[in-house]
Amino acid sequence: MMKQSGFFDVEERLARLSGLGDQLEAFSRTVDFEAFRPDLEKALAYSDGSKGGRPPFDPVLMFKILVIQTLNNLSDERTEYLINDRLSFMRFLGLGLSDRVPDAKTIWLFREGLTQAGAIEGLFNRFDTTLQHAGYLPMSGQILDATLVAAPKQRNTNAEKADLRAGRIPEDWQDKPSKLSHKDRHARWTLKFTKAKRQDDGTIPTTDIAIPFFGYKSHISIDRKYRFIRKWKTTDAAANDGARLREGLLDKANTASSVWADTAYRSKANEDFMEKHGFVSKVHRKKPHLKPMPLHVQRSNAGKSVIRSRVEHVFADQKSQTGLFVRTVGITRATMRIGLANIVYNMRRFLFLERISANA
């Protein structure tokens, strides 16, 4: 006969999880989730409950569910299942075994409410304030970069594609709201270039490989010292990287004025913009057309690359650890998804730096 599991068995199992290094427990200890409450309540303008019906779930609890979801790259259905299944998730959310767990629809509605209220910017800034209060000021200059984020591919006709590019809704979709809701009118195709690999006979092809890519682009600026994301922006995949530099991607709060970025950001407009706003450009120089790269420029670029490469670790972390891609339709939801990934990256980085300073 199986013995009935009691309260102490659960406690013992949780203690064992702690001993094994529960990442969510470290999150609970280090991140003050209550700091997000004012922004969450403002965005959701929670009803006062007088209308009857079930009381809504606590907004901080719901936000922590979005953090779990982002950390583990889960769909809403999978999130609901795993909260019911995993003791570590329950503990992080402060739920007991007999407590009601939000279902997939509730999670979707909560995230959608924040998305439509455009809340992600405020939530991101709220955590950045927390970082600065903890002593992590943006220092030593900043590094800019962008990465492609995949979205579900669309099957559109050439006429429909032409309409979308021109910013029009194709005629056939206008009277079909369900079709329209599944069509992503903002994501775009672009070509992703990858370096050609060495062939079996030892030769390297002269041209790089171009792979068609559909989705969005995540643009970020990190501070050089602590490598937190300080500024960010989401665009369609075909948007030019360089032009974003002039659209609020530079962090004026950084205590140093140097800006590192790859050649995509090198343009007269950007150089003039940085000079006018007191930034010092350390942007890579391009190779002159049909001429060899001068040696002093080669050396200068190599020195810049050592610093600039730090930003690539951020994207590698987001894609390997939290599997960053967009499951949803439209740029406002993609912005929410990428914004959450950026907050969660900063939270993980914060945990890492706090652990180092505790052990120092």
Side-chain angles (χ1 to χ4, degrees), residues 296-312:
H296 71 280
V297 175
Q298 251 175 13
R299 284 198 186 120
S300 159
N301 277 356
K304 290 169 183 170
S305 286
V306 175
I307 292 167
R308 204 191 62 72
S309 65
R310 291 179 184 185
V311 73
E312 284 157 15

Side-chain angles (χ1 to χ4, degrees), residues 25-43:
E25 194 185 15
F27 263 67
S28 292
R29 267 200 315 271
T30 317
V31 176
D32 174 19
F33 282 95
E34 276 300 317
F36 295 103
R37 186 178 292 280
D39 297 86
L40 293 168
E41 288 184 340
K42 195 172 115 200

Side-chain angles (χ1 to χ4, degrees), residues 144-148 190 216-220 233 235-247 249 261-267 270 308 315:
L144 272 58
D145 206 0
T147 192
L148 293 165
T190 188
Y216 292 94
K217 205 178 256 186
S218 164
H219 307 261
I220 62 169
K233 193 176 177 74
T235 64
D236 65 71
N240 174 292
D241 293 0
R244 309 285 84 77
L245 178 139
R246 307 190 297 280
E247 293 176 358
L249 207 58
D262 65 25
T263 51
Y265 295 86
R266 169 68 72 170
S267 68
N270 280 355
R308 204 191 62 72
F315 293 137

Side-chain angles (χ1 to χ4, degrees), residues 11 64 245 291 312 356:
E11 286 297 298
K64 286 168 97 170
L245 178 139
K291 282 190 201 147
E312 284 157 15
I356 288 175

Side-chain angles (χ1 to χ4, degrees), residues 17-313:
L17 282 173
S18 300
L20 294 167
D22 175 8
Q23 185 188 24
L24 289 175
E25 194 185 15
F27 263 67
S28 292
R29 267 200 315 271
T30 317
V31 176
D32 174 19
F33 282 95
E34 276 300 317
F36 295 103
R37 186 178 292 280
D39 297 86
L40 293 168
E41 288 184 340
K42 195 172 115 200
L44 299 161
Y46 258 53
S47 67
D48 58 4
S50 59
K51 295 186 198 67
R54 278 182 149 185
F57 284 95
D58 178 71
V60 175
L61 164 91
M62 294 303 298
F63 181 65
K64 286 168 97 170
I65 289 177
L66 298 189
V67 168
I68 287 180
Q69 197 174 36
T70 307
L71 266 173
N72 299 281
N73 188 21
L74 304 172
S75 67
D76 296 338
E77 287 72 20
R78 188 80 187 139
T79 306
E80 178 191 350
Y81 173 80
L82 286 174
I83 293 169
N84 280 293
D85 184 58
R86 280 193 192 171
L87 285 174
S88 60
F89 283 16
M90 283 188 207
R91 169 164 65 185
F92 176 62
L93 297 171
L95 293 172
L97 288 175
S98 56
D99 289 332
R100 197 158 62 95
V101 169
D103 61 12
K105 181 82 195 250
T106 305
I107 297 168
W108 186 89
L109 285 169
F110 175 77
R111 193 179 52 249
E112 189 67 5
L114 292 183
T115 304
Q116 300 311 330
I120 191 64
E121 195 85 37
L123 293 165
F124 179 89
N125 294 341
R126 174 71 61 186
F127 190 61
D128 190 60
T129 305
T130 301
L131 293 174
Q132 298 204 32
H133 286 165
Y136 298 102
L137 299 173
M139 294 164 89
S140 311
Q142 59 196 302
I143 312 167
L144 272 58
D145 206 0
T147 192
L148 293 165
V149 181
K153 292 187 182 68
Q154 308 279 303
R155 307 271 179 261
N156 298 330
T157 64
N158 286 341
E160 286 169 346
K161 286 177 191 166
D163 277 341
L164 292 173
R165 273 197 294 274
R168 294 188 299 269
I169 296 177
E171 204 172 319
D172 184 36
W173 301 0
Q174 288 173 10
D175 49 1
K176 295 181 184 163
S178 63
K179 181 169 187 173
L180 190 58
S181 70
H182 288 127
K183 288 292 189 180
D184 196 326
R185 309 199 297 279
H186 305 120
R188 290 287 178 271
W189 284 95
T190 188
L191 286 174
K192 183 179 179 180
F193 291 95
T194 57
K195 288 271 175 267
K197 303 264 189 303
R198 192 181 289 275
Q199 304 290 69
D200 293 340
D201 61 4
T203 59
I204 295 180
T206 50
T207 52
D208 290 340
I209 302 159
I211 302 161
F213 183 94
F214 183 77
Y216 292 94
K217 205 178 256 186
S218 164
H219 307 261
I220 62 169
S221 166
I222 68 165
D223 68 280
R224 182 186 166 193
K225 183 168 171 68
Y226 297 115
R227 305 185 196 181
F228 285 115
I229 299 169
R230 302 292 182 169
K231 295 282 176 193
W232 61 281
K233 193 176 177 74
T234 303
T235 64
D236 65 71
N240 174 292
D241 293 0
R244 309 285 84 77
L245 178 139
R246 307 190 297 280
E247 293 176 358
L249 207 58
L250 289 175
D251 183 15
K252 295 187 177 71
N254 199 298
T255 57
S257 51
S258 297
V259 176
W260 286 267
D262 65 25
T263 51
Y265 295 86
R266 169 68 72 170
S267 68
K268 177 141 182 14
N270 280 355
E271 296 300 305
D272 292 349
F273 181 87
M274 284 189 276
E275 195 177 335
K276 185 179 156 200
H277 291 89
F279 292 103
V280 175
S281 170
K282 305 267 186 185
V283 178
H284 269 50
R285 289 189 178 277
K286 294 177 183 169
K287 181 183 160 306
H289 186 54
L290 299 176
K291 282 190 201 147
M293 180 82 99
L295 196 60
H296 71 280
V297 175
Q298 251 175 13
R299 284 198 186 120
S300 159
N301 277 356
K304 290 169 183 170
S305 286
V306 175
I307 292 167
R308 204 191 62 72
S309 65
R310 291 179 184 185
V311 73
E312 284 157 15
H313 298 266

